[in-house]
Amino acid sequence: MKIIRSSTPAADGFRMPGEFEPHAGCIMIFPERADSWQYGGYAARRAFAQTAEAIAGSEKVTVCASEKQYDNARAMLPSHIRVVEMASDDAWSRDYGPTFVKNQKGEVRGIDWGFNAWGGLHDGLYFPWDKDNRMARKLCDLLDKDVYNKRDFILEGGSIHVDGEGTCMVTESCLLSGGRNPGLTRQEIEDNLQQYLNVSTVLWLPRGIYNDETNEHVDNICAFTAPGEVVLAWTEDREDAQYPLSKACLDYLEQAVDAAGRRIRVHKLPLPRPVTVTEEECRGLDACFDRPARTPGERLAASYVNFYIANGSVVMPGFGDPADEEARSILQGLFPDRQVIQIYARDILIGGGNIHCITQQIPASGGEA
Amino acid sequence: MKIIRSSTPAADGFRMPGEFEPHAGCIMIFPERADSWQYGGYAARRAFAQTAEAIAGSEKVTVCASEKQYDNARAMLPSHIRVVEMASDDAWSRDYGPTFVKNQKGEVRGIDWGFNAWGGLHDGLYFPWDKDNRMARKLCDLLDKDVYNKRDFILEGGSIHVDGEGTCMVTESCLLSGGRNPGLTRQEIEDNLQQYLNVSTVLWLPRGIYNDETNEHVDNICAFTAPGEVVLAWTEDREDAQYPLSKACLDYLEQAVDAAGRRIRVHKLPLPRPVTVTEEECRGLDACFDRPARTPGERLAASYVNFYIANGSVVMPGFGDPADEEARSILQGLFPDRQVIQIYARDILIGGGNIHCITQQIPASGGEA
C-alpha cells in the first residue's frame, strides 16, 4: 500500500463510482461499543449479521472485529463471510472506511479522509477516535490498494453521495458544520470534493433528517438510485419537525441541475412514524463520559433512505412501521434488477445510524465496459 | 473460511508442498514481546524488516502486527509489504501460523494445529499462549482459505519438514517431548502426520541443536533442499556439546530411505562457533514471570540451517562468524537458481529462533505442471 501525498484522484484519472456500479465486496465492522449498542450489543450483532448475510448473497463481505470480539464475530457469521481482526472505536465503516475511487483501467485506490467522530471537540459524539481514524489506511493495506492521504480534510463517507457521472450530493448542515473544517470556505470544501471524488458539480442540500446527530448526513435523507434520480425521505405531515427539512431539500432539488446538465428526478420515500428511544433501551447503555448516551423519548433519525445497494440486492431498514412495506415497494420499483431485502433495524438505529452507515462498498476492479 | 472437522488433508487429496515449490507469499509477525526481544525490540525489528524485504524481492510478504505496533510496523516496512493487524503472544509464524496443504487442482487449505508455547505447563516457554493459538484460523480467514481443525494435536510448524513427495522429517526429542502429546504413542503421532501432511514416510531424527529451547525443532538442524537431499548442521569438534547430536542425526540419515525409496543425500552445513548471550543483552530483557528470560553466558541455538526458501531467493542467517561465508557458499551451490541472501540474525536468535522460525510460506494456488 503506497500512501499518495502529492497527487489527487482527479489529477490521476480516478473517480468515485456510484454505489449502483459493480462491487468487489463490502466492508462492515462488528458492533461492540457499550454506549452505542444496548445490553452488550447482542441485538445489534444480530441485525449486523442479518445485514452482512443479505449483502453476502451477492458480494464478498469482510467484517472487522476487535481482538476481543473476533471469536464472537466468527462464531455468529457464516463461513463465506470473512472476519478480520481490526481495532475501531465504533462500527461505522461508511464513515471512516476508505472512500474508493477507480480509473478507466479498473484500478482501485482508497481515500483516507480525516475523521473526528462527527465534530471533534466541537460537537463530536465520542472521544477518542484514533482507532476509527486509522481504519481507512489499514483497510487499504489489507486490500492491497494504494491510498490518497487527505487526513487534513474532515469528511465521513455518509456525508457524500455520488452518481458516478460527475455529481456529488452533500448537506450544508453537515459539511459546513463548526466541528469539521471551520477553517475552510464552502468553495474550498467544494474544491476538495471535486479533486478527490473527481466531480464537477456539488449539490448542496440544505438539511438532513431531524435530530440526526451526524449533523444531518446526506445518506440518511437522499440517495442516488441512478444517475439523475434520487429518493428523498419525505413526510406529508406539515406539523412534523422533519417537514421543513425535507421540503427545503425538495425545493433545492427541483431547481438543481447535475453534472450532465440533467434535472434531478425526485422519488419521495415515506418516513416511518417518529421512532423514539425507550427508558428500557436507555437503561441498557453505558454513559458516554458524564452524560447519558440516550435519554428516554429522544427521537431517533429513522429513515428508509439509509439503504445499501449491493450487486444483486438492495438492503434496507425496516422499523415495524406501517410504512415499511410502502417504502420497500417503492425501492423495489426503482431497482427492478435487484432484490430488495428489508432488515429490522431498530437495533442499528439506536446506535445512531442505519444500514448504509454500517457498510462500505469496494468497487470491482477490472476495465469498464 | 470453512472449518473442516470431519475429514483430513490425505482423505481429501491435499498434501503439504516442499518449501522449494512455488509460493503465493509469506507470513511474518512484527516482534514486540519484551521478554523475547532485547531493549524494546528495536534491533529485532530491523532484522525482521531486513528478512521481510529480502523475501519480498520475489514473493508477497504479509506482516502481522498488534494494534499497538501497527503504526511502527507500517512506518518501517516498505509499501510493497502488506501489514495487517493481528494479535499474537510472540512473533513465530512458522510455529503457529497455519501449515498449508494443496491439492492437484491447486486449491490451498490450512491446518490449525494446537499450540501450547513449546510444551505447555510442562516445559513451555511462556504463558498464556491463546493469541498465538488463534492465529492459524485468523490467517486462513484473512486469506480466504478453508482450514482443517487439528487443535487436539500439539504441533509447531518448525518441528516438521517435508519433501513434498511423501516424506516428513521430525526429531524425536521434540515430537515425543512430555509437554506436547503425552497421551499419544509414537505411532499415533506418526499417523497424524501421515493423515494431515499426506506423507507415507516419517524420518525420525533423534536430536536437534544443543540447548534449543523448542525441544530441538528439526528446522534448526536439518532441512530438505530438494527431494532426497538435506543439509545437516555439523561440527567437526568432537568436544562440542553439539557433536553427538549432529552425529546421531547423520547416523540415522545414512541408513534412512524416503517415501520414494531413495537414500538421503546429506550435505553438511558447518555451525558457527558457539554463540552465547551477553550480560548487556540480558539486561535489556524483561523477566519471564519470576525468572530471567536469559542468563549471561547461556548458549543460543545458532544454526545456518534455519533458512527460508523463497521463490527467488534463500534467506539465511549470519552471525558475524568466520563460517558465515562457507555456509552461504554451500547453500548457494545447492540452490543455483536462487540468490542466497544472508541477514545478520543475532537479534533474531536472542529471541529463541531464526529466519525459518519467523516465516511461513503460502503455497501458490493454481494447477500443477
Side-chain angles (χ1 to χ4, degrees), chain A residues 298-348:
Chain A
E298 178 183 337
R299 181 162 169 182
L300 297 168
S303 165
Y304 299 111
V305 170
N306 210 305
F307 54 81
Y308 177 75
I309 309 171
N311 282 339
S313 64
V314 172
V315 185
M316 71 175 293
F319 305 100
D321 188 273
D324 280 5
E325 175 48 28
E326 186 190 350
R328 194 202 62 74
S329 170
I330 292 169
L331 279 186
Q332 188 62 78
L334 293 169
F335 292 101
D337 300 332
R338 289 175 166 93
Q339 182 194 4
V340 176
I341 303 171
Q342 201 162 35
I343 306 284
Y344 179 70
R346 183 182 180 91
D347 294 299
I348 306 174

Side-chain angles (χ1 to χ4, degrees), chain B residues 159-295:
Chain B
S159 71
I160 52 168
H161 259 314
V162 298
D163 68 356
E165 299 188 355
T167 310
C168 172
M169 185 164 62
V170 302
T171 62
E172 292 182 336
S173 47
C174 179
L175 268 75
L176 304 180
S177 65
R180 287 182 174 79
N181 302 290
L184 299 184
T185 65
R186 178 183 172 124
Q187 186 57 51
E188 288 168 332
I189 290 169
E190 190 162 320
D191 288 346
N192 279 334
L193 297 175
Q194 291 184 353
Q195 287 306 304
Y196 281 82
L197 304 176
N198 200 353
V199 295
S200 56
T201 298
V202 178
L203 302 179
W204 289 84
L205 304 192
R207 299 294 300 270
I209 293 291
Y210 175 76
N211 215 31
D212 186 326
E213 61 200 357
T214 65
N215 305 90
E216 305 172 9
H217 271 179
V218 71
D219 73 343
N220 210 21
I221 189 163
C222 193
F224 286 106
T225 56
E229 291 196 45
V230 302
V231 283
L232 175 69
W234 187 255
T235 175
E236 296 291 349
D237 179 0
R238 296 183 176 224
E239 303 307 309
D240 191 282
Q242 180 58 38
Y243 184 82
L245 281 63
S246 288
K247 181 64 166 62
C249 291
L250 182 64
D251 292 345
Y252 177 86
L253 287 164
E254 284 180 342
Q255 56 74 44
V257 175
D258 71 11
R262 286 175 292 231
R263 292 280 174 183
I264 310 292
R265 191 161 166 208
V266 181
H267 306 276
K268 291 175 181 169
L269 204 58
L271 282 156
R273 290 172 306 189
V275 177
T276 56
V277 70
T278 68
E279 204 173 313
E280 168 72 4
E281 286 163 344
C282 290
R283 273 198 299 267
L285 288 168
D286 277 5
C288 189
F289 288 90
D290 55 349
R291 293 174 308 172
R294 298 262 176 239
T295 46

Side-chain angles (χ1 to χ4, degrees), chain A residues 249-287:
Chain A
C249 290
L250 182 64
D251 291 346
Y252 177 85
L253 287 164
E254 284 180 341
Q255 56 74 43
V257 176
D258 72 11
R262 287 175 292 233
R263 291 280 175 183
I264 310 292
R265 192 162 165 205
V266 181
H267 305 275
K268 291 175 181 170
L269 204 58
L271 282 156
R273 291 171 306 190
V275 177
T276 56
V277 70
T278 68
E279 203 171 314
E280 168 73 3
E281 287 163 343
C282 290
R283 275 198 298 267
L285 288 168
D286 277 4

Side-chain angles (χ1 to χ4, degrees), chain B residues 103-168:
Chain B
N103 70 6
Q104 287 202 318
K105 284 191 280 183
E107 294 167 344
V108 172
R109 294 177 176 171
I111 303 171
D112 178 19
W113 314 104
F115 177 76
N116 70 357
W118 308 273
L121 302 183
H122 180 76
D123 62 351
L125 299 176
Y126 50 66
F127 177 89
W129 52 77
D130 58 299
K131 292 183 177 69
D132 292 337
N133 200 20
R134 281 189 175 87
M135 283 199 89
R137 279 194 200 171
K138 283 186 185 172
L139 283 162
C140 287
D141 206 352
L142 180 78
L143 298 166
D144 267 326
K145 308 294 185 199
D146 294 340
V147 63
Y148 290 96
N149 172 51
K150 194 54 181 167
R151 284 199 184 165
D152 66 350
F153 181 60
I154 301 293
L155 190 86
E156 302 95 41
S159 71
I160 52 168
H161 259 314
V162 298
D163 68 356
E165 299 188 355
T167 310
C168 172

